[in-house]
Amino acid sequence: MTSYVRFKYVRRFLPLGVYPATCPLNNRPFRGKGPSYKLTPKWVQAIQDHNSARGATVMLGASTGWVNAPGFCESLTMGGNIAEVDKVQGRFVKVKNLTPDSDFPDPANKLLFHKFTCLAGNGQLRLPAEGVDAFFPFLFGSDQAWIGIEAVDFFENMPEPIWPGVEPLLIIGYEAIVRRKTAIRQAPAGRIIGRIDSDTRCTVFAEVHRWAKIGDNRWVDLARVRRAS
């Protein structure tokens, strides 16, 4: 059965500023970032063709996140993007990606055409610069792109990405109490996977519209929880 992941945003609790919401990928089932790889001229041209001038600068400029050393791409994607699962091995998942020999993806294919996302110190999603959308192919140095399962949410059906400017998402973390028994869903407005009793304490990790994330693939109606005093 085909399954999917959405890469999590990881809040770093910086007091000021905005930073790229990077999700390191490894070429083996290990944590940490794999080696960087050469960004060939065909990929540079394609990125320029599919971005505004400012978007291309974000993607290709040295030390902006995706490219750190000139001409070399980092082994990573960004939070909020999605991918198809190839296989799961222990505590790691291998995702389907493009390699330097692949063709440039259809920009409508969100599994392979990702967006540069950023996170502010207060947990708000941000664009890399005001009014600047920047996109990149889900490119990796080989067809062995691995990431720890704690860094993704799993879905049976293809989810939508959660991107700045699309979802008014606030990545937060506060203790809450369930007001009354309610359904737990796999995703906002998604399939019911269980129930949570009234007066249960939980942590709200994120809010999307009227939904609260209380765990991996665990969402409840935001109106059914209140902040713990």
Side-chain angles (χ1 to χ4, degrees):
M1 178 188 297
T2 300
S3 60
Y4 306 89
V5 295
R6 185 163 57 211
F7 299 96
K8 293 181 180 179
Y9 287 95
V10 178
R11 187 177 176 187
R12 298 173 186 167
F13 295 98
L14 299 180
L16 297 172
V18 176
Y19 52 89
T22 54
C23 297
L25 300 165
N26 205 314
N27 57 348
R28 299 178 297 165
F30 289 95
R31 288 177 177 80
K33 188 170 61 176
S36 58
Y37 52 92
K38 182 71 174 177
L39 198 59
T40 61
K42 81 165 187 177
W43 288 105
V44 172
Q45 186 62 55
I47 290 166
Q48 292 172 336
D49 291 344
H50 288 83
N51 280 285
S52 66
R54 293 181 70 193
T57 297
V58 167
M59 293 313 315
L60 299 172
S63 300
T64 58
W66 195 60
V67 171
N68 281 332
F72 286 85
C73 188
E74 297 295 306
S75 294
L76 55 82
T77 186
M78 303 280 180
N81 288 293
I82 61 175
E84 185 177 341
V85 171
D86 186 24
K87 66 179 178 179
V88 176
Q89 180 177 311
R91 300 289 297 174
F92 297 89
V93 57
K94 180 175 177 286
V95 292
K96 295 183 179 181
N97 61 280
L98 299 166
T99 70
D101 293 329
S102 302
D103 293 327
F104 198 86
D106 181 348
N109 183 354
K110 295 176 182 178
L111 295 169
L112 295 173
F113 194 67
H114 287 186
K115 187 172 185 176
F116 194 110
T117 61
C118 296
L119 203 57
N122 65 358
Q124 291 181 329
L125 269 64
R126 299 286 183 85
L127 295 170
E130 186 173 354
V132 177
D133 290 306
F135 297 92
F136 60 99
F138 184 29
L139 188 62
F140 191 68
S142 71
D143 62 355
Q144 297 289 316
W146 293 85
I147 191 167
I149 62 174
E150 74 283 350
V152 298
D153 288 319
F154 285 87
F155 298 87
E156 293 179 1
N157 299 311
M158 191 175 82
E160 284 297 311
I162 297 179
W163 288 340
V166 176
E167 294 282 357
L169 178 71
L170 180 62
I171 303 294
I172 52 185
Y174 62 83
E175 295 302 307
I177 297 174
V178 178
R179 295 179 185 271
R180 58 185 184 272
K181 187 173 183 177
T182 189
I184 301 173
R185 299 178 183 270
Q186 186 185 37
R191 180 170 62 88
I192 294 175
I193 58 174
R195 301 275 175 182
I196 187 168
D197 291 330
S198 58
D199 298 324
T200 301
R201 296 183 72 91
C202 60
T203 300
V204 173
F205 296 101
E207 296 175 2
V208 177
H209 293 308
R210 61 183 184 87
W211 297 96
K213 181 180 181 182
I214 62 170
D216 291 345
N217 302 325
R218 291 166 60 85
W219 296 79
V220 296
D221 186 333
L222 183 60
R224 299 294 183 96
V225 299
R226 63 176 176 83
R227 286 180 180 265
S229 56

